[in-house]
Amino acid sequence: MGASDADRSWTRDGLDKTRFDGNAGNIRLGQAFLRLDGEVLNEVTASVVASASDDRRRLVDITEAWLGWNPVPDSAWKTRVKLGAFFPVTSLEIDYDSLGWTPVRTISSSAINSWIGEELRTQGVELTVTRKGISENSAHDYGFTAAVFGRNDPMGSLLAWRGWSIGDRITGLTESIRLADLPVYRPGGALAQQNRSIHVMREIDHRPGFYVGAHYRYAGWLSVNTLRYDNRGDPLVVTNGQYSWNVRFTHLNARLQLGDKWEILLQALRGETIMGPNAVRLRYSAWYALASHPFGPGNLAVRFDRFNAQEHPADILPSDPNGEHGRALAIAYAWRISPSVSFVAEALGVQSDRVARTAIGDTPEKTERSLTTSVRWQF
């Protein structure tokens, strides 16, 4: 349930930043998830996550499907292998033991994790090795992650032509997302081969991408993770109205547990994406800080976001402006009523400036506000 003063959400072909706008109605089915887990072989498990959303053209889709191998360690090193389609472990807002790419302290995700939920999915194999300090009576845990993946080649389309967003929507593996009606990909436009409907999980250039990362944890109160991502997309390849994009970024996050009460989350991302012969070349960055503390029967959280995108000087289409900058503030209260039912309320404000809005008859600078409540039932 919620109310918003946004004019036209990006889910309705607009360029506003929140998932729902003033015409969305006050009561919505945000998302529903069904997760099936099972043991396939000794030490091998399977997991499939299906989701339903009332702003999806196809109501139900698969968001993750993977096999996991977790052998019993015979030393201080623990190994995990995942094969299939899944989210990389990049977000501190997400409880990976729960369903979907949904935050637990707030209703919306940060700009970084909203983008990952909408445009990024590992579709390949990931290896993680971790040295557990407890096996050597040490407070230090550390390890490394590496993955090779395919598909996901149109990733970057939303970030360039729609920009950053603040929401909790998860893209299914087979669904398409419709862009705003910008002149650049209209008939006769500079990129008329581009279809307005983006299939972000497709394979286009048949080149594998990779990411590598490292993680460290100390005594349960400090954790740090870093990741370098490169999909190695060939930006000159276009198939069936979809371009391949070369997307690269560096990601860093940290979690601090101060005493028994305060929790601080910090996350930052910086990268570049290229499509065509520099038809779109965009540098982007975002960061957020979140503080949470128990309050009454629940938990109070405050998150501040900054996000930015700048066209590279080599970009050859000044008639297609993709730059923007903005900030957001979310204040949320989460109350677990029972082991299976929780209630979350969130006030969200987003300020942004995006020149491309003028191409669809909108104003570049906008302030959007929303008040949302959510009842979550898990069984």
Side-chain angles (χ1 to χ4, degrees):
M1 181 180 297
S4 171
D5 65 358
D7 295 320
R8 188 159 41 139
S9 166
W10 68 268
T11 61
R12 294 197 314 111
D13 301 349
L15 291 174
D16 287 358
K17 297 301 178 185
T18 56
R19 179 180 176 184
F20 300 118
D21 56 35
N23 296 310
N26 293 328
I27 300 177
R28 302 291 300 261
L29 169 67
Q31 292 178 110
F33 295 95
L34 175 65
R35 177 169 175 165
L36 302 176
D37 295 311
E39 186 173 356
V40 179
L41 298 170
N42 187 31
E43 301 178 343
V44 177
T45 59
S47 182
V48 177
V49 180
S51 71
S53 172
D54 64 1
D55 58 4
R56 179 180 289 156
R57 287 173 173 82
R58 291 174 54 185
L59 179 64
V60 179
D61 206 338
I62 302 297
T63 57
E64 296 183 81
W66 49 272
L67 296 172
W69 178 51
N70 294 273
V72 177
D74 56 6
S75 69
W77 288 96
K78 179 177 175 58
T79 302
R80 185 195 68 196
V81 177
K82 295 178 75 172
L83 173 67
F86 50 89
F87 291 102
V89 182
T90 55
S91 172
L92 297 173
E93 296 182 284
I94 308 302
D95 179 2
Y96 287 89
D97 293 326
S98 65
L99 297 179
W101 186 257
T102 53
V104 295
R105 302 164 189 82
T106 57
I107 293 176
S108 67
S109 294
S110 63
I112 292 173
N113 294 311
S114 295
W115 176 53
I116 290 174
E118 292 161 8
E119 277 213 273
L120 192 154
R121 209 68 42 85
T122 302
Q123 297 178 78
V125 59
E126 178 190 79
L127 169 66
T128 299
V129 292
T130 302
R131 189 171 183 85
K132 295 291 187 179
I134 193 172
S135 63
E136 299 177 333
N137 198 28
S138 170
H140 303 275
D141 296 344
Y142 58 90
F144 308 93
T145 297
V148 177
F149 57 88
R151 305 177 68 85
N152 216 176
D153 288 335
M155 174 190 176
S157 308
L158 294 183
L159 191 59
W161 286 320
R162 185 214 61 194
W164 296 100
S165 69
I166 306 289
D168 64 341
R169 193 181 187 281
I170 310 302
T171 302
L173 293 175
T174 67
E175 82 169 289
S176 63
I177 300 175
R178 191 166 173 83
L179 296 168
D181 185 21
L182 296 175
V184 67
Y185 38 73
R186 291 174 186 164
L191 297 173
Q193 293 185 78
Q194 174 65 54
N195 196 306
R196 272 187 68 190
S197 293
I198 302 295
H199 296 265
V200 296
M201 306 303 171
R202 281 187 175 175
E203 177 62 50
I204 296 175
D205 62 6
H206 304 289
R207 294 173 57 175
F210 74 92
Y211 58 79
V212 293
H215 54 274
Y216 170 77
R217 181 173 179 173
Y218 177 73
W221 67 268
L222 170 67
S223 63
V224 180
N225 300 270
T226 186
L227 187 79
R228 178 60 182 175
Y229 180 101
D230 188 343
N231 75 346
R232 298 183 63 250
D234 184 345
L236 300 180
V237 177
V238 55
T239 303
N240 296 326
Q242 306 288 311
Y243 277 88
S244 176
W245 295 62
N246 182 205
V247 178
R248 305 183 296 267
F249 63 79
T250 299
H251 172 271
L252 177 68
N253 66 40
R255 176 180 179 271
L256 297 172
Q257 189 77 41
L258 304 179
D260 296 330
K261 303 293 185 180
W262 282 102
E263 182 183 43
I264 308 296
L265 307 183
L266 305 168
Q267 193 169 352
L269 180 146
R270 178 182 295 273
E272 183 177 45
T273 184
I274 305 170
M275 185 275 276
N278 288 327
V280 177
R281 186 162 184 176
L282 193 68
R283 293 168 173 167
Y284 54 90
S285 62
W287 64 267
Y288 76 85
L290 183 150
S292 67
H293 191 280
F295 186 81
N299 192 78
L300 182 66
V302 179
R303 185 188 67 227
F304 179 75
D305 274 87
R306 291 298 297 262
F307 51 87
N308 181 66
Q310 293 182 322
E311 291 182 312
H312 192 280
D315 188 297
I316 63 173
L317 292 178
S319 61
D320 176 36
N322 307 118
E324 70 172 9
H325 62 269
R327 58 187 180 179
L329 177 67
I331 302 174
Y333 186 75
W335 174 28
R336 183 169 290 278
I337 301 172
S338 72
S340 59
V341 179
S342 61
F343 171 83
V344 188
E346 178 186 274
L348 173 66
V350 186
Q351 294 181 329
S352 61
D353 187 348
R354 185 174 183 85
V355 173
R357 286 176 173 144
T358 60
I360 59 171
D362 218 335
T363 57
E365 297 184 32
K366 284 202 167 187
T367 298
E368 304 163 51
R369 293 169 291 264
S370 66
L371 179 62
T372 310
T373 58
S374 174
V375 176
R376 298 172 176 175
W377 176 43
Q378 184 171 335
F379 61 93

